[in-house]
C-alpha cells in the first residue's frame, strides 16, 4: 500500500513558546517529518517566538539537537535536516510587552496561510491574541492553535473563549487535543460509519458495556505543581477521555465535516447523566519499594488531588439507555496503555451449555502502544473430543495489515498541524463543546470537595485501587487486564 502525500498551501507558522518542551519534543520534530515526506512546501517558514535571547543560528542548533533526539534514526537525513532548518527563524518576543512584535510583523508575508501556535500557558492567550491584531500580524484568514488546559473550570473556560472571541472568529480557533489526531481514533469513525458490520450492533440492545482505559507508568514527575491543582479528572477525563467517549457514543453525522462531527459530539456531552458518588473511585499512588509517593512528588502532604480515577457513566439517550461506560485513568500503573473495549452481550441462549471458555465478543481499539484493533470471537477448538469453545482474536493491527506503511503513521501532532494549515477543524474542539464538558465536570468535582473525600492509596505498578475493581464487580463485570 502506498500512502498519498498531499502537500499543503504555502504557509508561515509562528510558534509562541518555540523553545519550550512541547515545541522541542513534538511540534518541530513532527514538522520535520512532514517536510521529509514532501508535505510541506520548501518556501514555507516556521518562526519561533519566545522570551529567550537567541538568534536564528542558535535556534536552528537547538532544533537540530531535538531532531536527533526525538526523530528515529532512519528518518534523519542530513541534507533534508539542513533544508528544514533553513526554513526556521527566531524572534525574541515579550508576550505581555512591546519588545519583538514589530520585528515579528516584518517577517510575515502576504499571500500565504498565517498560523499561530500558542504553545504557552493559557494566561498568555489573551495578551498574544491582542498583540497579533494590534501589530497587524494576524488577518481575517489567520488561524490560531491553543493547547490544553483550556480552562480550570466552566467559568475560566468561558472567560478564555470570550478573550479569544474578541480577536478571532470561532472558525479561526483550533483547540487541539492530540488524542483526536491518533490514527486509531480516526479509524474508530471509519469502522463505525463505513461498515455495515458494526453500526447496526452499536447500541444498548447489543453492547453490554464499554471500557475506556488510559494508563501511564510514570508519576507526575516535574509537573507536580501543576498536576496537584488539576488531578486526573481535569487533566485527562474532561478532555482526552471525554473525546473518546464522544466518538464512541455519537450518532452518525450527516458528513465528515467540522461542524457536523462536532454537533454530534456536543449532543453526547449534553446527554451525560450526573455521576453518583458511589460510581466514582479516586486514588493516589503510594511510595512502593524505594520510590516516591504522590504526596512526595507534589510536596503537599495534605493533598486530596487524585492521580487515579475510575467512574461509571450513562448516556441518557435512546441508543445507549442502560449501557454503562466505565472510564479509568491514572499514573504509576502496571503498564502504559490506552484502549477502548466494546464488550458485546452474550447470545440470548447458548446451545453449547455453560462452558467456562465462552466469553463475550469484544472489540478492542488500541491507541497505544501498537495502534490497531482486535476483535475477540469464540470458535471451536480444533481436534476431536466434542465441541470445546475457545476465544481467539481477529487481529487488525496496523503493523500487520498495512506492512511497511504502518511504520510511517504520522504522529498525532503532525496530522493536526497539517489540518490547521488546510483549514480543517474536524479534529479540533469547538468552544461550546469545551464549555459543555466543563458544565458536566464541575458538579462532580464540587461534590467530592464538599464531602471532603480523600483519594485511597494504591500500589505503584498495580492496576489501581482495589475499590476500582469493586466498581465493576458490583455490576457483575471485570476490568480488562492492563498488560505489561
Amino acid at each position: 500500500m502506498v500512502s498519498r502525500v498531499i502537500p499543503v498551501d504555502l504557509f508561515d507558522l509562528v510558534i509562541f513558546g518555540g523553545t519550550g518542551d512541547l515545541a522541542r519534543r513534538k511540534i518541530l520534530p513532527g514538522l520535520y517529518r512532514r517536510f521529509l515526506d514532501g508535505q510541506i512546501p520548501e518556501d514555507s517558514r516556521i518562526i519561533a517566538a519566545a522570551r529567550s535571547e537567541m538568534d536564528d543560528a542558535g535556534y536552528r542548533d537547538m532544533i537540530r539537537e531535538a531532531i536527533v533526539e526525538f526523530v528515529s534514526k532512519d528518518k534523519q537525513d542530513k541534507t533534508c535536516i539542513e533544508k528544514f532548518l533553513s526554513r526556521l527563524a527566531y524572534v525574541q518576543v515579550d508576550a505581555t510587552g512591546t519588545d519583538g512584535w514589530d520585528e515579528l510583523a516584518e517577517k510575515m508575508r502576504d499571500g500565504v496561510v498565517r498560523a499561530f501556535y500558542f504553545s504557552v500557558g493559557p494566561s498568555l492567550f489573551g495578551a498574544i491574541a491582542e498583540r497579533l491584531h494590534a501589530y497587524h500580524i494576524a488577518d481575517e484568514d489567520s488561524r490560531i492553535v491553543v493547547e490544553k488546559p483550556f480552562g480550570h473550570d466552566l467559568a475560566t473556560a468561558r472567560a478564555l473563549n470570550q478573550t479569544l472571541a474578541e480577536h478571532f472568529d470561532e472558525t479561526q480557533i483550533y483547540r487541539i487535543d492530540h488524542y483526536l489526531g491518533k490514527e486509531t481514533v480516526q479509524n474508530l469513525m471509519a469502522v463505525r460509519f463505513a461498515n455495515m458490520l458494526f453500526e447496526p450492533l452499536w447500541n444498548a440492545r447489543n453492547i453490554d458495556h464499554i471500557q475506556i482505559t488510559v494508563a501511564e507508568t510514570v508519576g507526575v514527575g516535574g509537573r507536580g505543581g501543576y498536576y496537584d491543582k488539576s488531578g486526573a479528572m481535569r487533566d485527562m477525563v474532561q478532555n482526552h477521555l471525554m473525546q473518546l467517549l464522544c466518538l464512541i457514543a455519537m450518532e452518525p453525522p450527516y458528513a465528515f465535516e467540522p461542524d457536523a462531527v462536532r454537533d454530534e459530539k456536543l449532543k453526547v456531552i449534553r446527554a451525560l447523566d450526573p455521576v453518583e458518588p458511589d460510581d466514582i473511585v479516586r486514588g493516589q499512588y503510594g511510595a512502593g519499594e524505594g520510590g516516591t509517593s504522590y504526596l512526595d512528588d507534589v510536596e503537599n502532604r495534605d493533598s486530596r488531588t487524585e492521580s487515579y480515577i475510575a467512574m461509571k457513566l450513562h448516556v441518557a439517550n435512546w441508543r445507549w439507555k442502560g449501557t454503562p461506560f466505565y472510564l479509568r485513568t491514572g499514573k504509576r500503573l502496571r503498564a502504559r496503555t490506552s484502549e477502548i473495549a466494546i464488550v458485546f452481550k452474550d447470545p440470548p441462549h447458548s446451545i453449547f451449555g455453560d462452558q467456562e471458555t465462552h466469553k463475550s465478543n469484544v472489540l478492542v481499539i488500541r491507541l497505544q502502544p501498537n495502534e490497531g484493533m482486535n476483535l475477540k470471537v469464540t470458535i471451536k477448538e480444533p481436534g476431536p473430543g466434542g465441541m470445546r469453545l475457545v476465544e481467539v482474536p481477529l487481529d487488525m493491527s496496523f503493523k500487520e495489515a498495512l506492512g511497511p506503511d504502518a511504520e510511517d503513521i504520522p504522529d498525532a501532532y503532525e496530522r493536526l498541524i497539517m489540518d490547521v494549515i488546510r483549514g480543517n477543524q474536524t479534529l479540533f474542539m469547538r468552544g461550546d463543546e469545551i464549555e459543555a464538558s466543563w458544565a458536566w465536570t464541575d458538579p462532580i468535582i464540587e461534590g467530592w470537595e464538599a464531602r471532603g473525600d480523600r483519594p485511597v492509596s494504591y500500589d505503584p505498578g498495580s492496576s489501581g485501587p482495589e475499590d476500582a475493581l469493586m466498581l465493576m464487580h458490583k455490576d457483575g463485570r471485570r476490568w480488562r487486564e492492563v498488560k505489561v
Side-chain angles (χ1 to χ4, degrees), residues 209-210 212 233 237 241-242 245 271-276 279-280 310-316 320 322-327 440 444 471:
H209 71 280
I210 293 170
I212 303 176
M233 185 68 174
V237 175
L241 273 69
M242 180 69 72
L245 170 65
L272 287 173
D273 278 337
V275 183
E276 298 296 326
D279 290 334
I280 302 171
M311 56 200 314
K312 180 171 74 171
L313 315 181
H314 285 96
V315 180
W320 297 113
T323 297
F325 291 72
Y326 297 93
L327 278 59
W440 175 82
I444 298 173
L471 180 67

Side-chain angles (χ1 to χ4, degrees), residues 7-15 40-41 43-47 107-117 137-145 171-172 174 416-424:
V8 298
D9 292 334
L10 199 63
F11 65 85
D12 284 345
L13 172 63
V14 178
I15 304 173
I40 295 179
D43 289 337
S44 291
R45 296 187 310 178
I46 301 164
I47 304 166
K107 288 186 176 293
M108 307 308 296
R109 297 177 293 177
D110 294 329
V112 303
V113 173
R114 295 184 183 184
F116 304 92
Y117 200 123
I137 299 172
D139 56 30
E140 61 184 11
D141 294 323
S142 296
R143 296 139 200 185
I144 63 170
V145 186
T171 59
Q172 297 177 278
Y174 291 70
L416 294 174
I417 293 173
M418 291 299 97
D419 279 354
V420 173
I421 305 302
R422 294 189 184 97
N424 185 349

Side-chain angles (χ1 to χ4, degrees), residues 24-34 36 63-77 81 84 414:
R24 289 185 63 258
R25 284 188 304 106
K26 292 290 186 180
I27 300 174
L28 272 303
L31 287 167
Y32 162 73
R33 284 189 288 264
R34 293 300 91 218
L36 178 67
I63 301 308
R64 184 184 291 106
E65 293 175 1
I67 291 173
V68 170
E69 183 177 357
F70 297 111
V71 175
S72 61
K73 299 295 183 183
D74 62 308
K75 296 287 187 181
Q76 293 182 24
D77 181 284
I81 289 175
F84 174 73
E414 298 175 44

